[in-house]
Amino acid sequence: MARWIAEWHPDDPAFWESSGRRVARRNLVFSIVAEHLGFTVWTLWSIVATKMGSYEFSTDQLFWLVAVPNLIGSVLRVPYTFGPARFGGRNFTVVSAALLLIPAVLLGVAVNNPATPYWLFLVIAALAGLGGGNFASSMANITYFYPRDKQGVALGLNAAGGNVGVSSVQLVMPLVIGSLGLAAAGWFWIPFIVVAGACAFFFMDNLTSAKADPREQFAVAGKAQTWVMSFLYIGTFGSFIGYSTAFPLLSQNLFPDAPYAAVAFVGPLLGSLIRPVGGWLADRHGGAPVTLWNFAAMGGGVLLVWLAGTGGNFWLFFLAFQLLFVTSGVGNGSTYRMIPAIFQAKAVAERGEGEEALLYGKRQASAAIGIISAVGALGGFLINRAFGMSFAASGSPAAAFLAFGLFYASCFALTWWCYMRTVGVNVVASLAHVRV
């Protein structure tokens, strides 16, 4: 596993056109394949939890099974971020793909035993969080392959390809479980995981220029921009993964006779496919304006979903929920475009326009992506826990929706304050040159 590229200069137009574009595209394609499988394993429990009626677990217990993979996946994103820089993007992708076999096999074994205790299901659900870590390593790796002006679309495509894994699970798993039983939810993905790891081994590359001291990279944790963007990413990606994993169980509780299992995949698919559009809009109009107004739309979406949920009509509820999926997808793309823009702008401002400054900015952005994606993924855990606690307290998700609406309002205000306002900006020197 020693396939290293020593010379890599994507911001040099001649290099990019002669060979860089082709190599970058190949790595992007197989990064997407591996990341897609990571998301499928990570979100398996969103469907498995709706098929566990024979175990007589409470609604709150089932929401825990859906929430725990989100929690563990978000925590793992921090060490996974530094994997490509330490071991090489190709090498780390192979290993992280192989690790997905553990939760898949354990799930297939556990559900075959009706006496499996609840705590063991929690452990297996937690191990599914291994799939959530893949996103951070994949995105950090792809950052190095593309020039600044093409990172928005490239990162959007990479993320979207992974995000579609949620939709794959929710489209395929009800059919597989209905035909082959609940254990097939684990066994089904094993050959695909093996193929993803093999493709990474044979077709991806390691970049010497991406190697960095983890301590130097982790210094971004001390920068205010990292935590501002982490908060905003809870609102975008956290909403996407939280709503994607919560929707089947939420629908089951609100509309038990509705065909929610047949259409649960639609929202995650829409959110995934539109994510590159968010990156493209940010490339053209700036990440901050797109993100700002997107949060306003998300606040309106929460209100519509709550009203539709109290109306007793599943299809109105379903249609209203699609607005949340679409806006979370657009926001994912625009906020992720903001991250490299911010850190590379700061690097240029501090070190000039040279190649060394651009590489330093990419290293900073790569490290920041991992931390921000880790914190952002906590939103998936928080959304599922909010629904679980709201049902436990009142039998209704109303309190959870109110909390979500207030949170989007705070994200709107923070985006405007940090990246859009012009009055008084000179007193915030750390933000003055990163308007994006």
Side-chain angles (χ1 to χ4, degrees):
M1 298 173 68
R3 184 168 166 174
W4 292 87
I5 296 177
E7 294 294 327
W8 188 253
H9 310 284
D11 289 288
D12 178 349
F15 174 86
W16 179 251
E17 293 299 329
S18 63
S19 61
R21 185 196 305 272
R22 174 177 51 82
V23 174
R25 184 183 296 121
R26 171 164 47 78
N27 278 269
L28 175 61
V29 167
F30 292 105
S31 174
I32 288 173
V33 171
E35 190 189 341
H36 182 92
L37 269 296
F39 266 84
T40 61
V41 171
W42 191 25
T43 56
L44 268 176
W45 286 86
S46 66
I47 296 299
V48 171
T50 67
K51 305 295 184 180
M52 299 183 73
S54 61
Y55 289 93
E56 299 183 356
F57 297 145
S58 70
T59 297
D60 193 35
Q61 284 179 308
L62 292 174
F63 269 114
W64 266 112
L65 290 175
V66 178
V68 165
N70 289 319
L71 175 62
I72 301 303
S74 66
V75 172
L76 286 177
R77 286 184 171 194
V78 175
Y80 269 54
T81 296
F82 305 113
R86 177 66 179 84
F87 304 105
R90 165 183 173 268
N91 298 350
F92 196 79
T93 302
V94 173
V95 173
S96 61
L99 288 174
L100 300 177
L101 294 171
I102 298 172
V105 170
L106 290 178
L107 172 60
V109 172
V111 296
N112 270 331
N113 182 0
T116 300
Y118 178 72
W119 68 263
L120 185 54
F121 280 124
L122 274 176
V123 171
I124 297 171
L127 288 170
L130 288 166
N134 287 17
F135 179 85
S137 58
S138 178
M139 295 293 275
N141 182 46
I142 292 302
T143 298
Y144 289 103
F145 278 94
Y146 280 83
R148 281 188 298 173
D149 62 347
K150 293 179 173 58
Q151 286 181 354
V153 173
L155 292 175
L157 288 171
N158 191 53
N163 292 173
V164 170
V166 185
S167 187
S168 297
V169 163
Q170 297 182 345
L171 173 63
V172 173
M173 282 297 94
L175 302 174
V176 170
I177 293 170
S179 302
L180 303 174
L182 191 55
W187 302 124
F188 178 83
W189 298 105
I190 290 175
F192 296 100
I193 294 169
V194 172
V195 169
C199 286
F201 182 89
F202 289 109
F203 301 116
M204 291 185 70
D205 303 290
N206 303 309
L207 295 179
T208 301
S209 60
K211 292 185 71 66
D213 183 347
R215 288 175 297 181
E216 176 187 344
Q217 286 188 296
F218 202 69
V220 298
K223 297 182 182 294
Q225 296 299 316
T226 302
W227 300 105
V228 171
M229 292 305 304
S230 294
F231 189 86
L232 299 183
Y233 202 56
I234 291 175
T236 56
F237 179 76
S239 295
F240 170 79
I241 197 66
Y243 293 142
S244 295
T245 52
F247 180 81
L249 194 54
L250 178 64
S251 299
Q252 185 183 64
N253 280 272
L254 293 177
F255 306 96
D257 297 324
Y260 59 87
V263 295
F265 76 95
V266 175
L269 181 61
L270 288 175
S272 302
L273 294 180
I274 205 166
R275 180 165 184 158
V277 176
W280 176 78
L281 288 171
D283 281 342
R284 288 178 60 86
H285 305 292
V290 175
T291 299
L292 181 77
W293 295 112
N294 192 71
F295 277 127
M298 293 183 77
V302 166
L303 177 61
L304 289 177
V305 170
W306 175 71
L307 291 174
T310 59
N313 187 313
F314 169 74
W315 292 110
L316 286 178
F317 176 77
F318 170 78
L319 289 174
F321 228 113
Q322 303 319 295
L323 176 60
L324 286 179
F325 282 118
V326 168
T327 51
S328 67
V330 170
N332 283 340
S334 63
T335 52
Y336 237 72
R337 179 63 187 101
M338 290 171 71
I339 298 169
I342 287 170
F343 284 93
Q344 290 177 18
K346 288 177 71 68
V348 168
E350 294 168 1
R351 303 190 176 202
E353 285 279 359
E355 185 172 351
E356 185 277 334
L358 295 177
L359 182 57
Y360 174 78
K362 285 187 178 182
R363 286 174 176 162
Q364 292 278 292
S366 175
I369 278 173
I371 296 172
I372 292 165
S373 69
V375 177
L378 282 173
F381 172 77
L382 296 173
I383 282 176
N384 279 283
R385 288 309 308 135
F387 282 134
M389 291 187 292
S390 187
F391 273 104
S394 64
S396 162
F401 283 126
L402 174 61
F404 303 154
L406 293 174
F407 182 75
Y408 296 141
S410 69
C411 288
F412 180 94
L414 185 64
T415 304
W416 176 83
W417 178 263
C418 291
Y419 302 114
M420 293 291 293
R421 69 188 176 97
T422 56
V423 177
V425 71
N426 60 328
V427 304
V428 192
S430 64
L431 304 182
H433 57 275
V434 292
R435 304 286 159 183
V436 289

